[in-house]
Amino acid sequence: MLFRVLPGSPVPLGEQIAACVRGAIADGTAAPGERLPPAREVAESLGVNVHTVLRGYQRLRDESLIELRRGRGAVITAAPGAAGQARLTEAVHGIIGQARELGLTDEEFLALVHHGLASTPVPARPGSGGAAH
Amino acid sequence: MTAIRRGTLAAVPYAVATAAYAGVFLANEDRLPGRIATHFSTGGGADDYMSRDGALWFGCALLVGLGLLFTVLTLVSKESAGSRLNTAVGVGTAVTVGYPLILTVLLNTDVQDPADVHLPLWHVAVLLVAGLATGALAWWLMGPGPRPEPAPPAPSLPLAEGEAVAWSRTMMSRVLLITAGAVTLVGAVTLVFGPWQAGLAPLVLGPVCAAFAGVRVTVDRRGLTVTSTVLPRPRLALPLGSIVGADSVEVDPVGEFGGWGYRIRPNRRGVLLRSGEALSVRTAKGREYVVTIDDSTTAAALLNGLTDRHAREHH
């Protein structure tokens, strides 16, 4: 697991740490079941506060990308679709960054997303339309 | 020269020597006495004897055995530095052993009483010189082997000023873990059912082994750290300032280090839990550290990036 953070960046350090793990899950360099280094060790390595690292780990747990267990540390989830979920979250962060660059307000951006959702039909899920056959 | 060709080079002299010995023996069998002189004193007179068939089998077994030994040694040592010497010594030994064996047969030919057989001492000088010469010839024939082609400079991860980076990964040796578990179990069983003194050592040794079945490798602003996943000490720490460069390599623990675990070789240290991918780190003192770990290319690139930045900041 490779962590790269810029202390001078406007993005909070915890978010940057979460982004490193998310990116590794998205591109497959971090495999399901892989154990993340203990927060204390990451904090020592990066020279940041241990709570900052824990905030990043908690963010990943909220996104269901890792499991935090007492005594076992942080483990990348083995649930199917985690990599896809991570890629989607990355993409969302990407378009939010673009929207901010263009100076869109949050309302304008959300309206854009709503409009996009409304004009895109929900595809039939494979396996859920069994009765129609 | 490839390992297969070196193995052939080690095997052929023994095949030739065995064939020559058996050939000369069988061709002269009718003219040999029932008991033949096989050992000679420093004066050159015979002082030990063997039956005719016994001598034939002994000679062939000795040559075939030595041949197998050196061929296997050569094949096992593969491309490592010792392989060339192994083969050269093997070829030289074939001559040094084959020559007196055949000579013994020739000396015993047409002799009535084996006690009369006399071995002129100058043959000893001949066989030693001939052995050295053929060994040297084999050494020269093999050449220095495939020079490790000058590896392209290992990639270096460009780092921004002030960027904080860390790479960390664990490596678990399942074989070591199972072995340690088995040792502990044996200790516990002996402690309960056998003499308790005998059970104590394995009961302590097992958990200690288990503690080193998993290692964590960390690359960060402090350099390289290798430590057990459960114990904080002992640890292997190489500060950034002492590191010259890093690379991802393929390691063969048996061929290059003579086994697994923490291995010490001249100018090389190894933390080896398996064969295959490993991180290789060179220090300013000219020493190389090899640590088996997955994704070692990332670790090496990051270490190179950190070393470059460290050098920029301190010069």
Side-chain angles (χ1 to χ4, degrees):
Chain A
M1 179 59 60
L2 176 64
F3 295 95
R4 304 182 69 172
V5 298
L6 267 173
S9 155
V11 182
L13 281 172
E15 290 297 322
Q16 291 189 45
I17 289 167
C20 292
V21 179
R22 196 186 296 122
I25 298 172
D27 65 20
T29 36
E34 192 179 311
R35 196 172 303 195
L36 293 183
R40 187 178 38 78
E41 285 182 19
V42 178
E44 269 173 37
S45 284
L46 296 174
V48 301
N49 194 295
V50 66
H51 296 292
T52 310
V53 182
L54 282 172
R55 210 171 303 136
Y57 279 13
Q58 274 150 16
R59 156 67 74 162
L60 292 164
R61 187 197 51 194
D62 293 345
E63 292 172 12
S64 306
L65 293 179
I66 66 167
E67 288 157 26
L68 284 177
R69 288 192 215 123
R70 190 163 285 281
R72 279 205 67 216
V75 181
I76 291 171
T77 180
Q85 174 75 35
R87 277 194 292 273
L88 180 65
T89 312
E90 274 199 321
V92 169
H93 280 286
I95 56 167
I96 290 173
Q98 279 185 38
R100 292 269 151 84
E101 260 179 46
L102 288 171
L104 261 67
T105 64
D106 286 6
E107 287 73 28
E108 284 169 331
F109 176 69
L110 283 175
L112 203 62
V113 173
H114 278 303
H115 186 71
L117 286 173
S119 59
T120 313
V122 179
R125 286 197 174 191
S128 65
H133 291 287
Chain B
M1 192 175 273
T2 63
I4 300 292
R5 288 170 73 179
R6 282 192 179 175
T8 313
L9 188 60
V12 163
Y14 287 97
V16 171
T18 312
Y21 177 67
V24 169
F25 203 109
L26 295 175
N28 293 324
E29 202 172 12
D30 303 338
R31 296 154 65 195
L32 289 172
R35 239 163 43 101
I36 66 173
T38 52
H39 195 268
F40 303 89
S41 67
T42 46
D47 64 359
D48 203 2
Y49 309 90
M50 226 182 239
S51 77
R52 197 168 52 195
D53 289 347
L56 176 62
W57 287 112
F58 171 79
C60 289
L62 184 66
L63 288 170
V64 171
L66 281 172
L68 280 175
L69 178 71
F70 278 103
T71 309
V72 168
L73 273 179
T74 303
L75 289 177
V76 166
S77 57
K78 287 184 185 157
E79 306 294 340
S80 66
S83 158
R84 192 181 178 189
L85 185 65
N86 253 339
T87 316
V89 169
V91 172
T93 309
V95 174
T96 312
V97 174
Y99 180 90
L101 281 174
I102 295 171
L103 186 68
T104 309
V105 178
L106 293 176
L107 287 174
N108 279 283
T109 306
D110 294 331
V111 171
Q112 300 305 318
D113 182 3
D116 294 340
V117 176
H118 191 80
L119 175 78
L121 261 188
W122 57 264
H123 280 295
V124 177
V126 171
L127 72 90
L128 286 178
V129 170
L132 274 175
T134 42
L137 181 71
W139 175 271
W140 175 78
L141 265 179
M142 275 179 290
R147 271 262 149 240
E149 64 268 15
S156 165
L157 198 69
L159 298 178
E161 292 303 320
E163 186 179 9
V165 287
W167 180 91
S168 179
R169 204 176 170 102
T170 50
M171 160 107 252
M172 197 63 91
S173 168
R174 210 161 278 154
V175 177
L176 197 56
L177 209 58
I178 291 169
T179 312
V183 168
T184 313
L185 196 68
V186 166
V189 169
T190 313
L191 199 68
V192 175
F193 299 104
W196 66 271
Q197 298 94 330
L200 223 51
L203 201 60
V204 172
L205 208 66
V208 170
C209 280
F212 293 99
V215 295
R216 175 171 288 285
V217 181
T218 307
V219 174
D220 58 21
R221 61 203 164 108
R222 295 165 295 187
L224 173 78
T225 314
V226 182
T227 177
S228 150
T229 41
V230 288
L231 297 176
R233 305 251 156 209
R235 59 167 62 201
L236 171 70
L238 299 178
L240 265 193
S242 73
I243 295 171
V244 179
D247 215 337
S248 170
V249 295
E250 289 290 317
V251 67
D252 167 26
V254 177
E256 295 175 45
F257 287 90
W260 293 270
Y262 182 67
R263 313 298 297 194
I264 299 176
R265 283 284 170 280
N267 289 323
R268 281 189 107 191
R269 299 288 183 270
V271 180
L272 312 155
L273 292 187
R274 55 153 172 76
S275 55
E277 192 180 350
L279 173 67
S280 155
V281 179
R282 293 176 308 281
T283 65
K285 284 180 185 162
R287 196 174 270 174
E288 186 194 8
Y289 290 82
V290 180
V291 183
T292 54
I293 192 84
D294 292 331
D295 194 24
S296 57
T297 42
T298 308
L302 181 62
L303 210 44
N304 286 329
L306 282 164
T307 312
D308 290 349
R309 191 172 70 177
H310 183 84
R312 276 204 308 275
E313 284 167 359
H314 289 79
H315 288 115

